[in-house]
Amino acid sequence: MHEPKSKSGEARGNDDLILSVEDLAVHFPVGGGLLGGNRRVLRAVDGVDLELKRGECLGLVGESGSGKSTVALSILGLLAPTRGRIVLDGQVVTSRPAVDRKALARIVQIVFQDPYASLNPRQTVRRTLEDPLRVHGVASKSEIEDRVATMLRHVGLRPEQAGRYPHEFSGGQRQRIGIARALILNPKIVICDEPVSALDVSIRAQIINLLLELKDTLGLSYIMISHDLGVVEHMSDRVAVMYLGRIVENGDWREIFERPAHPYTQALISAIPDPLHHAPLATTGGDLPNPLNPPNGCAFSPRCRYAEDVCRHEPGPALETRPDGHAVRCWRSEEIAGRMASTSTESAHP
């Protein structure tokens, strides 16, 4: 394992939290028609707890449909939680009758996955970056020009490129523009939603390194949403693993990647391509269950090679946090972790 460039090694206390998500649930009624009959509930997010410290990058991983983006939209104030509390920079935003989007935008912003779809093709880069400043009334005309030029330099573009349209830029350059747009209001938190998955492999490392540089230079805190664990490993200080709307494991990046305690996390990590063979070492069997009809017991039990009767009939236990801060939601986590340790020892000493 290499040491990710974002690691500072500094210890931070609980009073240094910039984001706290407590028992977050987002449920959607499905079906029922006009008369409301046979209505079911899709539990997109069901009791999520997360913390983000200042200057930290939290990786949020899981398959498509696990609830990662729903958590992000709730933090951004674009989805109203069914229950739970979100505290942003000391402000309880979920206690307000209506979310103040302008106030939230000064604290948290997002970098979208697709740089082609997330930019208005009819607006120049200058207009794209100036509009948020005008809407929020945070700068005069001359100050706006200076801030746009400064931000373009921050992301590796030239100020004279501000008069161009998105179609005149490459994919990597467009993502740089998207990053500049997210940072133009000087937010404290940036949610990166699969920020490199739509880019060519040759460009991904450049964008990742840019994000890390901006994090340190501007003192940002990141939530890195990705299914690419290689990206998460490189950027994250801590990692939270989601499965079917819940956090199943949470901890320091090294603990998660070297000593995963949940079978789902183990399956995700084992599926990282082997650089020598250019193919996944293993895959997670089966598909993500239908969230409208989740399995009995632990939601992962139909796909878990360790599942026993208790796993199939009893709901998964609460997320249990160990003294070292590593948290896991699994009936057999201690036994599984012990097996992993034994296997690692045998491999190291044949």
Side-chain angles (χ1 to χ4, degrees):
M1 292 284 180
H2 61 276
E3 187 74 14
K5 295 183 179 179
S6 64
K7 305 298 182 294
S8 64
E10 298 176 358
R12 305 180 179 93
N14 288 337
D15 58 346
D16 208 17
L17 289 180
I18 193 166
L19 168 67
S20 176
V21 177
E22 303 169 12
D23 193 31
L24 178 69
V26 182
H27 299 168
F28 300 102
V30 177
L34 295 176
L35 300 179
N38 297 321
R39 177 168 291 185
R40 295 185 292 173
V41 175
L42 190 155
R43 300 175 185 272
V45 174
D46 197 22
V48 162
D49 296 299
L50 286 175
E51 291 182 346
L52 179 67
K53 298 175 183 178
R54 299 180 191 277
E56 181 181 58
C57 179
L58 172 68
L60 189 59
V61 304
E63 295 167 284
S64 297
S66 60
K68 307 183 302 297
S69 294
T70 303
V71 170
L73 292 175
S74 299
I75 294 170
L76 289 162
L78 299 176
L79 274 179
T82 304
R83 71 168 189 270
R85 190 170 83 143
I86 299 174
V87 183
L88 275 169
D89 199 23
Q91 304 176 45
V92 183
V93 298
T94 44
S95 65
R96 302 174 184 174
V99 175
D100 185 347
R101 281 290 306 132
K102 288 182 68 174
L104 280 182
R106 303 286 296 274
I107 302 173
V108 57
Q109 283 286 334
I110 185 168
V111 175
F112 294 100
Q113 174 180 2
D114 189 349
Y116 297 91
S118 61
L119 297 174
N120 187 336
R122 298 184 179 183
Q123 286 189 348
T124 63
V125 172
R126 178 179 291 108
R127 177 70 182 274
T128 297
L129 299 183
E130 287 180 348
D131 278 355
L133 296 173
R134 291 197 180 98
V135 168
H136 289 264
V138 297
S140 66
K141 181 177 180 180
S142 61
E143 290 172 331
I144 286 175
E145 292 176 356
D146 289 341
R147 288 180 66 165
V148 168
T150 299
M151 189 53 62
L152 287 174
R153 292 191 188 98
H154 272 317
V155 299
L157 297 174
R158 301 189 307 277
E160 54 266 31
Q161 293 176 294
R164 299 182 183 179
Y165 289 86
H167 73 269
E168 300 179 70
F169 295 89
S170 67
Q173 289 175 320
R174 292 188 199 192
Q175 193 60 297
R176 291 174 187 267
I177 296 167
I179 294 170
R181 178 180 58 187
L183 298 180
I184 196 69
L185 290 174
N186 295 326
K188 299 178 180 180
I189 302 170
V190 177
I191 299 174
C192 302
D193 191 357
E194 303 278 7
V196 298
S197 63
L199 303 177
D200 292 340
V201 175
S202 59
I203 303 299
R204 292 182 185 181
Q206 297 177 23
I207 298 301
I208 290 170
N209 289 334
L210 172 65
L211 288 170
L212 289 173
E213 179 183 337
L214 291 170
K215 174 178 171 292
D216 292 338
T217 302
L218 303 178
L220 300 169
S221 304
Y222 285 162
I223 297 178
M224 173 61 62
I225 297 175
S226 182
H227 66 272
D228 186 336
L229 268 71
V231 172
V232 171
E233 180 186 9
H234 187 72
M235 290 195 63
S236 300
D237 298 288
R238 289 186 302 112
V239 178
V241 183
M242 284 196 73
Y243 186 79
L244 210 64
R246 292 187 170 188
I247 301 294
V248 297
E249 191 163 5
N250 191 347
D252 176 80
W253 75 276
R254 191 181 296 277
E255 282 290 320
I256 295 295
F257 280 91
E258 295 186 358
R259 288 174 287 277
H262 194 283
Y264 180 58
T265 309
Q266 293 178 10
L268 290 177
I269 292 173
S270 67
I272 298 175
D274 181 351
L276 296 179
H277 300 91
H278 305 285
L281 300 176
T283 57
T284 305
D287 297 320
L288 196 72
N290 183 350
L292 285 171
N293 186 28
N296 293 326
C298 170
F300 188 61
S301 61
R303 309 170 70 186
C304 180
R305 58 176 174 164
Y306 301 109
E308 294 183 342
D309 285 345
V310 65
C311 308
R312 299 184 183 95
H313 299 293
E314 296 292 334
L319 195 67
E320 181 180 352
T321 303
R322 303 170 180 175
D324 62 0
H326 192 162
V328 63
R329 186 194 302 272
C330 178
W331 288 115
R332 305 184 62 197
S333 61
E334 294 294 337
E335 177 186 349
I336 293 168
R339 290 187 182 185
M340 288 285 291
S342 299
T343 302
S344 298
T345 301
E346 292 171 2
S347 299
H349 303 284

